[in-house]
């Protein structure tokens, strides 16, 4: 007789090991909408951990449009895009994204994760292809590169000399295709990829560029168009990736590029071919969110005012905030147990900031990862900074 519990007990052993190593995660429960002041595990706290940069998850226009699309088009599509899961609203959203990103076309996937995996896997299909990736790229890029048939090379974070040396090496091997992959804004450090240097190298060595702007869309560039726009390089970046689940406030990911890229993915991308399309309410929410980016620039302005204020105060107090240039501001603690303790103590004091430890970040760089949004008030930020100062002193992180 099969004993399900006993047969799966090996997982319990691994979990126990994680607990011993201080790497076990409990899930926090959000008892409210995702807001600057949220109820988390029944406690009212200043929330410094969401990616809701402009507060669009609860923007009245986003909710209203989601409602309208739900009423008109139903709860879901019950089909993949290539069978009968493409409503004209899906095509409308893709046109909207392409217009916004300044590209010929775009194609939407179920998540940002699926998008990154798909690009690597769908385009880099031969052992004569090479993916050259920044060391700190997001896990979905790493997994996508692993699924691709291409060979993989990693360069140290933003190290252009090492990128160039890899490009030289693959040139000497007569690579068929070369794809340089980078986050636009790095998700754990909040710094920006050196796109002008990357573009110059790509041109010199005939490589393609893919930029993941998950944390740049709605944050940098004209009206939040992302890092290519920030550097005025929109027409130089072959593939722009974004998510619909951070600033846009809903769910999904997309590739913005040429018509051929879109067409190719419709024919070949497994994540597109074998997974059902977005529920209409999500499509409606996304449509409204992109319209807000175009029409309410005050939100981005407020995001940056808050970012500068918060970062400035943390620096004044002597915290190590790394090389952040965006609303993602790490507070580097450099010790796993102390980071988790810092996060726990802040929560007790009314501030929610996740501690990020190995393996998400390298050992020795364990940190609190703070994210301010446009919707935090000055009072929220002052409250959070005072508590960060208090616990930072208590734990000896700052004097
Ligand atoms: C840089 C980056 N790319 C991609 C993703 C995945 O996006 P999604 O949450 O839409 O799957 C994330 C989210 O964690 C991210 O930070």
């Amino acid at each position: 007789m099969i004993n399900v519990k006993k047969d799966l007990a090996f997982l319990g052993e691994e979990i126990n090991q994680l607990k011993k190593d201080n790497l076990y995660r409990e899930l926090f429960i959000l008892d409210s909408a995702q807001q600057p002041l949220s109820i988390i595990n029944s406690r009212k706290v200043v929330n410094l951990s969401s990616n809701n940069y402009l507060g669009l998850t609860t923007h009245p226009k986003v909710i209203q449009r989601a409602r309208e699309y739900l009423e008109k088009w139903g709860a879901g599509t019950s089909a993949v895009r290539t069978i009968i899961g493409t409503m004209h609203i899906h095509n409308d959203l893709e046109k909207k994204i392409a217009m916004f990103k300044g590209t010929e076309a775009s194609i939407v996937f179920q998540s940002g994760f699926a998008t990154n995996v798909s690009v690597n896997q769908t385009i880099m299909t031969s052992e004569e292809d090479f993916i050259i990736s920044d060391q700190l790229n997001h896990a979905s890029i790493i997994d996508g590169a692993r699924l691709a048939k291409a060979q993989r090379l990693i360069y140290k974070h933003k190290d252009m000399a090492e990128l160039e040396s890899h490009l030289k090496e693959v040139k000497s091997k007569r690579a068929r295709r070369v794809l340089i992959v980078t986050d636009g804004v790095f998700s754990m450090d909040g710094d920006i990829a050196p796109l002008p240097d990357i573009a110059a190298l790509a041109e010199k060595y005939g490589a393609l560029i893919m930029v993941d702007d998950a944390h740049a869309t709605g944050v940098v560039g004209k009206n939040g168009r992302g890092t290519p726009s920030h550097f005025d390089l929109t027409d130089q970046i072959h593939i722009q990736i974004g998510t619909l689940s951070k600033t846009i406030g809903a769910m999904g990911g997309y590739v913005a590029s040429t018509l051929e890229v879109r067409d190719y993915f419709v024919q070949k991308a497994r994540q597109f071919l074998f997974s059902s399309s977005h529920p209409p309410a999500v499509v409606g929410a996304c449509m409204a969110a992109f319209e807000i980016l175009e029409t309410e620039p005050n939100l981005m302005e407020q995001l940056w005012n808050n970012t500068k204020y918060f970062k400035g105060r943390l620096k004044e107090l002597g915290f190590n905030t790394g090389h952040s240039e965006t609303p993602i501001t790490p507070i580097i603690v450099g010790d796993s147990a102390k980071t988790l303790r810092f996060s726990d103590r802040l929560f007790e004091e009314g501030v929610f900031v996740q501690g990020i430890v190995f393996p998400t970040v390298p050992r020795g760089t364990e940190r609190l990862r703070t994210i301010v949004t446009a919707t935090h008030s000055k009072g929220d930020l002052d409250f959070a900074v005072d508590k960060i100062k208090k616990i930072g002193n208590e734990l000896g992180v700052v004097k």
Side-chain angles (χ1 to χ4, degrees):
M1 176 109 150
I2 287 176
N3 182 335
V4 171
K5 192 83 184 147
K6 183 162 165 268
D7 292 348
L8 293 173
F10 64 94
L11 297 175
E13 287 161 22
E14 281 195 32
I15 288 171
N16 286 339
Q17 191 56 47
L18 289 175
K19 286 182 178 164
K20 273 189 205 141
D21 295 344
N22 251 338
L23 295 173
Y24 182 80
R25 293 166 211 265
E26 293 283 356
L27 294 181
F28 285 89
I29 306 300
L30 189 57
D31 288 326
S32 64
Q34 190 71 270
Q35 286 184 314
L37 285 179
S38 295
I39 313 288
I40 297 179
N41 286 4
S42 309
R43 192 183 288 259
K44 190 169 183 187
V45 289
V46 174
N47 180 354
L48 290 179
S49 283
S50 91
N51 302 304
N52 192 16
Y53 291 105
L54 302 180
L56 299 190
T57 58
T58 51
H59 192 295
K61 288 183 188 158
V62 171
I63 291 178
Q64 176 59 25
R65 195 74 61 81
R67 217 177 254 144
E68 283 166 21
Y69 276 43
L70 170 69
E71 296 280 348
K72 178 153 187 203
W73 300 94
T77 66
S78 294
V80 300
R81 291 283 296 272
T82 46
I83 297 195
I84 190 56
T86 302
M87 296 168 163
H88 80 70
I89 54 174
H90 294 102
N91 285 341
D92 290 349
L93 176 60
E94 288 169 338
K95 284 187 191 135
K96 179 134 218 116
I97 293 170
M99 289 257 292
F100 180 73
K101 288 280 172 173
T103 58
E104 277 181 2
S106 89
I107 179 167
V108 166
F109 292 83
Q110 288 70 13
S111 70
F113 198 106
T115 310
N116 276 337
V117 171
S118 198
V119 171
N120 284 282
Q121 189 189 13
T122 308
I123 298 185
M124 306 307 280
T125 51
S126 154
E127 283 170 11
E128 290 162 30
D129 297 340
F130 288 83
I131 296 167
I132 311 185
S133 178
D134 188 290
Q135 173 192 24
L136 294 190
N137 280 342
H138 188 256
S140 52
I141 293 177
I142 297 169
D143 285 11
R146 284 180 183 150
L147 269 178
K149 293 227 169 71
Q151 299 184 50
R152 303 186 299 270
L153 294 166
I154 313 288
Y155 59 95
K156 283 193 277 310
H157 183 47
K158 299 206 294 192
D159 184 335
M160 294 297 102
E162 191 170 20
L163 172 58
E164 177 154 26
S165 116
H166 287 332
L167 286 164
K168 271 190 194 141
E169 183 190 333
V170 301
K171 194 170 182 199
S172 73
K173 290 183 177 164
R174 297 184 186 283
R176 184 186 73 145
R177 287 177 197 157
V178 181
L179 181 66
I180 304 170
V181 188
T182 183
D183 281 8
V185 168
F186 288 87
S187 55
M188 293 298 141
D189 293 76
D191 53 344
I192 298 179
L195 286 194
D197 299 334
I198 291 176
L201 288 172
E203 188 184 356
K204 184 167 169 194
Y205 293 93
L208 303 170
I209 308 170
M210 163 182 153
V211 177
D212 174 359
D213 261 349
H215 293 279
T217 304
V219 176
V220 301
K222 184 165 183 290
N223 293 85
R225 283 175 167 74
T227 50
S229 159
H230 173 73
F231 288 113
D232 203 11
L233 282 171
T234 300
D235 61 352
Q236 303 289 296
I237 304 299
H238 302 88
I239 296 176
Q240 298 186 48
I241 305 293
T243 69
L244 301 169
S245 35
K246 301 191 191 301
T247 297
I248 301 303
M251 187 86 218
Y254 54 86
V255 174
S257 183
T258 63
L259 275 166
E260 285 77 13
V261 166
R262 178 191 147 82
D263 216 11
Y264 189 79
F265 276 91
V266 170
Q267 313 308 317
K268 297 271 196 178
R270 296 173 70 76
Q271 292 75 4
F272 185 85
L273 292 168
F274 299 115
S275 190
S276 295
S277 53
H278 270 69
V282 171
V283 180
C286 295
M287 288 292 275
F290 280 105
E291 285 167 23
I292 291 165
L293 292 186
E294 302 268 22
T295 54
E296 298 186 27
N298 56 308
L299 287 174
M300 233 177 99
E301 227 169 81
Q302 192 52 39
L303 172 67
W304 278 97
N305 288 341
N306 283 350
T307 297
K308 283 175 195 150
Y309 178 71
F310 185 73
K311 235 185 248 304
R313 286 214 55 201
L314 290 179
K315 278 190 187 155
E316 258 167 42
L317 292 169
F319 286 102
N320 175 1
T321 57
H323 302 291
S324 167
E325 302 165 75
T326 66
I328 299 173
T329 305
I331 298 175
I332 297 172
V333 177
D335 174 276
S336 191
K338 206 182 255 192
T339 301
L340 297 175
R341 180 82 191 122
F342 204 153
S343 167
D344 288 349
R345 282 289 294 117
L346 280 174
F347 187 58
E348 284 165 13
E349 297 276 341
V351 180
F352 184 77
V353 193
Q354 275 281 13
I356 313 276
V357 298
F358 180 82
T360 310
V361 294
R363 287 188 207 281
T365 72
E366 294 85 353
R367 67 201 56 192
L368 298 176
R369 176 192 185 234
T370 68
I371 302 180
V372 299
T373 68
T375 48
H376 283 102
S377 68
K378 183 165 175 294
D380 297 335
L381 298 180
D382 283 337
F383 178 83
V385 170
D386 289 347
K387 298 299 182 186
I388 291 169
K389 176 176 179 236
K390 175 177 169 191
I391 312 301
N393 286 335
E394 195 177 291
L395 297 177
V397 177
V398 283
K399 300 233 165 62

